Amino acid sequence: MSRLSIRWRLTVWNTLAVAVLLIAVESLVYALLRHAMYEQLDRVLLAQYGELEQDARLTADPETRLRHWIDEFREHVGVYSVVYDADGRVYARTEQLAQQSVPARPNGAANMPQFGSCELPLIGWQRTMTRTLDAGGQRFVVMLMLPLGDTNRELRQVAAVLSVVFPFALLLAAVVGYTLARKALAPVDELRQATDEITAERLSRRLDVPNPNDELGRLGQTI
């Protein structure tokens, strides 16, 4: 890079700085959008669990009520449900959920909701919420799942748009950087041309110094 002119060096450094800034901004935009979309799914899962937990008849007949809510979740919201008993066996699940798509009971289930994502056979990526549930003197682990297919597809589209925008923005930054560098260094060319006019026959020639307080002005005074 040392062989490049100052103008081109300024352009390169400006372009590199803009590239780093673009990567940071695009990464932040993608991360915030992903967080917002996942958080929206989490709120849906949490709301469904809240309806289940508030069922007053759950204590008297947990099996029937769990089956009722599992069917409700699937029919109205598209949520898959799996309920595990204290021994880790599947106590109840969504009928449309194939056996090979049922995940193993998660470790570390707690009273607070735990969110995550996992890829399952046949149904693909799912956003999951796991929480314990006490009903009828028994402790269950409830896992609710929402498909992530549409969400991940939208995120891939956003990533594709950002990847297309990046080179065009970088090209624009290079053009603008070169233009600004050329404009900033134009007085240097003028100073060089004026200096070339000072010869042995024209020693009285003086350089015009519009602004003696900046770097080029001090250089002109020195010359």
Side-chain angles (χ1 to χ4, degrees):
M1 185 175 291
S2 60
R3 296 184 179 181
L4 296 176
S5 65
I6 295 178
R7 182 178 304 168
W8 277 109
R9 274 184 279 173
L10 288 174
T11 301
V12 171
W13 284 114
N14 176 75
T15 304
L16 289 176
V18 172
V20 172
L21 180 61
L22 281 174
I23 292 173
V25 170
E26 290 187 355
S27 299
L28 179 62
V29 168
Y30 181 85
L32 290 175
L33 180 61
R34 182 181 184 276
H35 176 76
M37 296 177 75
Y38 276 33
E39 190 175 43
Q40 184 177 7
L41 296 177
D42 294 345
R43 285 196 295 268
V44 173
L45 295 172
L46 195 58
Q48 302 312 303
Y49 180 87
E51 293 185 17
L52 167 63
E53 189 179 36
Q54 294 171 9
D55 187 350
R57 292 179 289 174
L58 187 62
T59 300
D61 190 0
E63 183 175 358
T64 302
R65 298 312 296 169
L66 282 171
R67 171 52 56 191
H68 164 78
W69 284 110
I70 287 174
D71 294 340
E72 284 286 312
F73 294 160
R74 182 57 188 167
E75 181 178 355
H76 297 291
V77 193
V79 171
Y80 288 111
S81 308
V82 183
V83 180
Y84 307 88
D85 61 19
D87 297 324
R89 295 188 296 266
V90 176
Y91 184 82
R93 76 171 194 270
T94 303
E95 291 183 359
Q96 295 88 345
L97 189 63
Q99 179 64 41
Q100 56 265 46
S101 300
V102 177
R105 176 185 170 177
N107 296 321
N111 293 329
M112 297 300 294
Q114 297 179 340
F115 299 98
S117 303
C118 65
E119 186 178 16
L120 299 173
L122 303 181
I123 60 174
W125 280 97
Q126 304 289 312
R127 185 63 175 173
T128 65
M129 190 209 76
T130 306
R131 190 172 180 179
T132 57
L133 174 71
D134 294 321
Q138 303 179 66
R139 168 157 287 200
F140 302 99
V141 174
V142 178
M143 175 182 282
L144 303 181
M145 300 181 290
L146 267 175
L148 277 172
D150 292 340
T151 300
N152 288 341
R153 190 177 305 109
E154 292 177 12
L155 288 173
R156 285 195 296 271
Q157 291 174 351
V158 171
V161 171
L162 293 177
S163 65
V164 171
V165 169
F166 181 80
F168 285 101
L170 209 58
L171 178 61
L172 178 61
V175 172
V176 172
Y178 181 82
T179 302
L180 292 177
R182 182 178 181 181
K183 184 176 181 179
L185 294 174
V188 176
D189 288 335
E190 297 174 359
L191 186 63
R192 179 186 58 78
Q193 293 173 3
T195 303
D196 287 342
E197 295 176 1
I198 300 176
T199 61
E201 293 77 19
R202 301 181 62 186
L203 291 177
S204 61
R205 177 74 169 85
R206 292 294 179 268
L207 301 179
D208 295 329
V209 183
N211 184 4
N213 296 319
D214 64 11
E215 291 82 354
L216 291 177
R218 290 195 293 270
L219 177 61
Q221 287 180 319
T222 300
I223 295 177

